[in-house]
Every structure is written in structure tokens, then in C-alpha cells.
Amino acid sequence: RDEFEIDGEILDPRTPLASAGHAFNARYVNGVQVATSGPLTYWVDASTGSDDNSGLSILAPFQTIQAAIDRAPTIMGADVTIHVAPGTYPEQVRLYDRSFRGDATISIIGDGPGVRVTGEFARSSAFEIRDVKSFVLEDLELVDTTSYNLRLLDSTGTVRGCTLTTSAGQPASGYGALI
């Protein structure tokens, strides 16, 4: 069932917390964090990480950006930041399979030059963001995979310091960005 407990009361995750009248810290259901009111930081490193790690320390990073997104709580009472180490990430990053709620921002930040997201397979976007209230993408290279480098649909956010390139490192020649 899609519900969780806060202060002894069972709530549907579609219930806005402001209307539910709850102040809360991190809450867990079946070992999965579903809500937080304090800032949360995840770490990702393609070469030293594992998606079985907690991602909560630079010493125990995830291997994929998607793992960090999937682990982020669905109710964000405070900002969530995902730091991505330099490396190549052959994955399609999707920030839409989860229904993030709350007024916080989810930020995905490249920690230095050489953070490349190449898409999982031909004809997939490197990054796709849908129905997100507040996001930041920063210092990432999004590689053209014969589809869009970046797809933004019904979302509000900031993209800064990102480049859209082909697999040969040239400026994007395919679809580029769909906004």
C-alpha cells in the first residue's frame, strides 16, 4: 500500500504535508526513507561506487546517478543534493518515476570536469526530468545519443554550467534539449 506513518498517523503520500499539519524529521517505511526535513546529500562515483552502498558518504558512493535519485525520499522537506564524481555514466537518468513532493530542490552537481552522462542505449535521452517542482543540474556533460541530450517536461529548475555534446565531444548536432 502507498501510505506511511508520521507521528502515529497513517498518511497517503499524495497528501501535502502542509495540509496534514506535520513537522517531521526523516521517516522510514520498510527501511526506505520516505520523508525528510533536513538537508540530505548523496555521493556518486562511476569507478569506485556500488549501487548497494548507502551513498551517504564520499567513501561509500553509489555507482549510478539513478541509484541516488531512486534512494531520495519522495517527500522532501529540505534540499537533496547529489554530488557526481568525474567519470562516464552510461545511463539514462530519469527524474520522473518518483513523485517528489514538498518545496525543496533536488540538485545534481558534477564535482569537477569530466562528468559525462551518455545515455543507456541508442535513442535514449541522457537526462529526462518530468513533473519536478524545483531542480538544479550543474557542471554535467550530457552526451547526444541520437535523441535529446536533455528533456525537461512540466518542470521548473536551473541548468548551469552544463554542456550538450556528441559522443565525439563536439557540440550537440542531434536534438539537443527539449524544454
Side-chain angles (χ1 to χ4, degrees):
R1 247 167 79 129
D2 279 346
E3 58 186 33
F4 59 95
E5 181 179 337
I6 293 181
D7 299 329
E9 181 181 350
I10 302 295
L11 296 174
D12 184 299
R14 294 174 296 263
T15 304
L17 287 177
S19 68
H22 290 281
F24 61 95
N25 289 317
R27 299 293 184 213
Y28 295 81
V29 173
N30 297 326
V32 176
Q33 187 173 4
V34 296
T36 185
S37 63
L40 183 61
T41 300
Y42 290 113
W43 302 89
V44 180
D45 191 318
S47 62
T48 65
S50 167
D51 288 348
D52 292 328
N53 287 342
S54 70
L56 295 172
S57 159
I58 198 166
L59 299 176
F62 292 120
Q63 184 176 29
T64 63
I65 300 165
Q66 191 64 52
I69 290 169
D70 291 345
R71 204 66 70 84
T74 55
I75 299 175
M76 299 188 312
D79 293 347
V80 173
T81 302
I82 299 170
H83 288 278
V84 185
T88 299
Y89 296 85
E91 59 180 303
Q92 181 184 27
V93 180
R94 290 176 242 123
L95 188 52
Y96 64 84
D97 285 340
R98 303 179 48 100
S99 55
F100 293 106
R101 308 222 186 288
D103 295 327
T105 298
I106 184 162
S107 299
I108 302 170
I109 300 172
D111 284 345
V115 179
R116 301 183 82 218
V117 182
T118 62
E120 187 174 22
F121 49 86
R123 304 199 58 78
S124 71
S125 301
F127 247 91
E128 188 161 337
I129 301 173
R130 289 187 193 168
D131 300 318
V132 176
K133 288 181 186 178
S134 181
F135 73 88
V136 172
L137 295 181
E138 187 173 321
D139 297 330
L140 304 169
E141 180 184 354
L142 308 179
V143 180
D144 181 359
T145 57
T146 70
S147 183
Y148 296 101
N149 301 64
L150 174 63
R151 292 183 67 178
L152 302 175
L153 305 167
D154 298 322
S155 298
T156 302
T158 301
V159 178
R160 86 179 136 243
C162 293
T163 57
L164 307 180
T165 64
T166 66
S167 57
Q170 301 300 313
S173 60
Y175 296 103
L178 171 67
I179 299 175

